[in-house]
Amino acid sequence: MGNVSPQEYGAIGDGIVDDTAAIDLWLSEILTQKHSGLLDGWYRYRPTCPWNLGGKNFGVTIEGKRRNYDGFILDPGYSLSIHAEGDVFYPLFSNFRVGGHVAGPLVRIGNDNLSGAINSMIVDGLVIQNGLQSPSNIGLLCNHVCNSFFRGITVNSGGSGRPAAVTGMANNPCAPGYGNALRLRQTQFSSFSGSFSNANIGILLTDGYSFSNSFENLDIEEVNTCIYINSPYANKNDFRNGQILGKISFDCPSGRNLFNSKSCNIQTYASPESSIGNTYGINFY
């Protein structure tokens, strides 16, 4: 086993030349020969099919050398989907960037039908930026992810959601932001830390059984709504530590979850419509 770069398969990595064919060869080598992937360039990429991690996989590893400079720039309309045929364990993705413009999720982890759980995944230091200004924008979507760690990630979607009524933002073309930065569907026993901003909704819990997740060291800003929970099966998710700043702090009509108001800085914008919001699905402690 060794670290292999897309450039070993003909990629240029300048963000201009289409490296799709080389990336496809590189990925096949990683998954079949059990190499680790090394990203040491900015690769223009058009994913033609999901990355299938297989079932009971050995734990594919893909790491970048420079967090904000190495990774993938996807052509408009393209997205990166990562899934498994059957349960998969131990994938590690760290220290790279994915940028693009697409209606829907830019990065999807797990199947939309919630089959084939992604288990014990580590996502460390990723930067995800979906720049399309569409209500259906999503930065990162997780479907049936379990026992996983998302550490120090940065997810942005569609521009600042700071409302136009705030002083100095009268000409904000993006208000009240677009889409979701982070959307979770049937995600369990996992940990999330990082920045989830520049969107209509910072973090959305919806669809299926999402419970016993922890959200720590959060930075949710430049959004319309910070935390939105609309699944009645979202329970015992614990939000603690960090900053949440939006027009509406909470819109949580469903579920039964926990929020540490002593360790989090809860703020609303200086706007006449700003409010804490619906806290039915949140218990403060």
Side-chain angles (χ1 to χ4, degrees), residues 223-261:
V223 298
N224 181 45
T225 301
C226 295
I227 299 169
Y228 182 27
I229 301 174
N230 66 3
S231 171
Y233 307 111
N235 296 299
K236 298 184 179 178
N237 299 290
D238 190 5
F239 296 84
R240 55 182 184 265
N241 303 325
Q243 162 99 349
I244 66 165
L245 170 61
K247 178 180 172 183
I248 300 171
S249 302
F250 306 98
D251 187 1
C252 304
S254 299
R256 188 56 61 197
N257 302 281
L258 305 168
F259 191 95
N260 190 331
S261 57

Side-chain angles (χ1 to χ4, degrees), residues 3 44 60 107 119 123 165 180 192 204 213 220 269:
N3 295 327
R44 182 179 160 210
V60 60
V107 177
N119 294 279
V123 178
N180 316 150
F192 296 84
L204 168 62
N213 299 294
I220 306 176
Y269 291 114

Side-chain angles (χ1 to χ4, degrees), residues 131-282:
L132 189 69
Q133 294 177 3
S134 163
S136 57
N137 266 24
I138 303 171
L140 172 62
L141 169 64
C142 293
N143 295 312
H144 203 181
V145 173
C146 303
N147 295 297
S148 295
F149 295 87
F150 293 74
R151 303 185 300 213
I153 64 176
T154 300
V155 185
N156 297 318
S157 180
S160 172
R162 188 184 295 239
V166 175
T167 301
M169 295 298 290
N171 296 317
N172 176 14
C174 299
Y178 292 91
N180 316 150
L182 174 66
R183 181 182 293 190
L184 302 181
R185 302 175 67 240
Q186 193 146 310
T187 297
Q188 302 153 7
F189 315 122
S190 295
S191 175
F192 296 84
S193 70
S195 174
F196 308 99
S197 303
N198 289 285
N200 181 33
I201 297 170
I203 298 177
L204 168 62
L205 275 65
T206 188
D207 299 339
Y209 293 85
S210 289
F211 54 83
S212 298
N213 299 294
S214 63
F215 299 83
E216 302 181 81
N217 304 316
L218 296 174
D219 184 14
I220 306 176
E221 301 185 46
E222 304 293 333
V223 298
N224 181 45
T225 301
C226 295
I227 299 169
Y228 182 27
I229 301 174
N230 66 3
S231 171
Y233 307 111
N235 296 299
K236 298 184 179 178
N237 299 290
D238 190 5
F239 296 84
R240 55 182 184 265
N241 303 325
Q243 162 99 349
I244 66 165
L245 170 61
K247 178 180 172 183
I248 300 171
S249 302
F250 306 98
D251 187 1
C252 304
S254 299
R256 188 56 61 197
N257 302 281
L258 305 168
F259 191 95
N260 190 331
S261 57
K262 296 178 181 178
S263 65
C264 282
N265 185 30
I266 305 171
Q267 290 184 294
T268 56
Y269 291 114
S271 167
E273 318 96 72
S274 293
S275 69
I276 295 295
N278 188 342
T279 60
Y280 175 84
I282 293 280

Side-chain angles (χ1 to χ4, degrees), residues 1-17:
M1 294 178 64
N3 295 327
V4 294
S5 162
Q7 296 181 35
E8 297 178 48
Y9 300 88
I12 302 302
D14 62 358
I16 299 172
V17 175

Side-chain angles (χ1 to χ4, degrees), residues 58-75:
F58 63 94
V60 60
T61 296
I62 298 176
E63 299 181 88
K65 290 181 66 176
R66 302 166 301 172
R67 174 179 181 176
N68 222 12
Y69 297 95
D70 297 315
F72 304 104
I73 177 67
L74 308 186
D75 277 9

Side-chain angles (χ1 to χ4, degrees), residues 18-66:
D18 186 352
D19 286 324
T20 299
I23 295 294
D24 288 344
L25 289 172
W26 167 79
L27 183 65
S28 177
E29 182 78 4
I30 291 171
L31 294 177
T32 58
Q33 301 300 318
K34 297 182 172 54
H35 291 297
S36 297
L38 174 65
L39 296 173
D40 52 358
W42 185 227
Y43 301 99
R44 182 179 160 210
Y45 181 39
R46 300 181 179 186
T48 54
C49 60
W51 289 10
N52 181 14
L53 303 183
K56 307 295 183 183
N57 203 283
F58 63 94
V60 60
T61 296
I62 298 176
E63 299 181 88
K65 290 181 66 176
R66 302 166 301 172

Side-chain angles (χ1 to χ4, degrees), residues 105-116:
L106 182 65
V107 177
R108 176 192 287 105
I109 299 176
N111 293 307
D112 282 342
N113 64 6
L114 304 179
S115 65

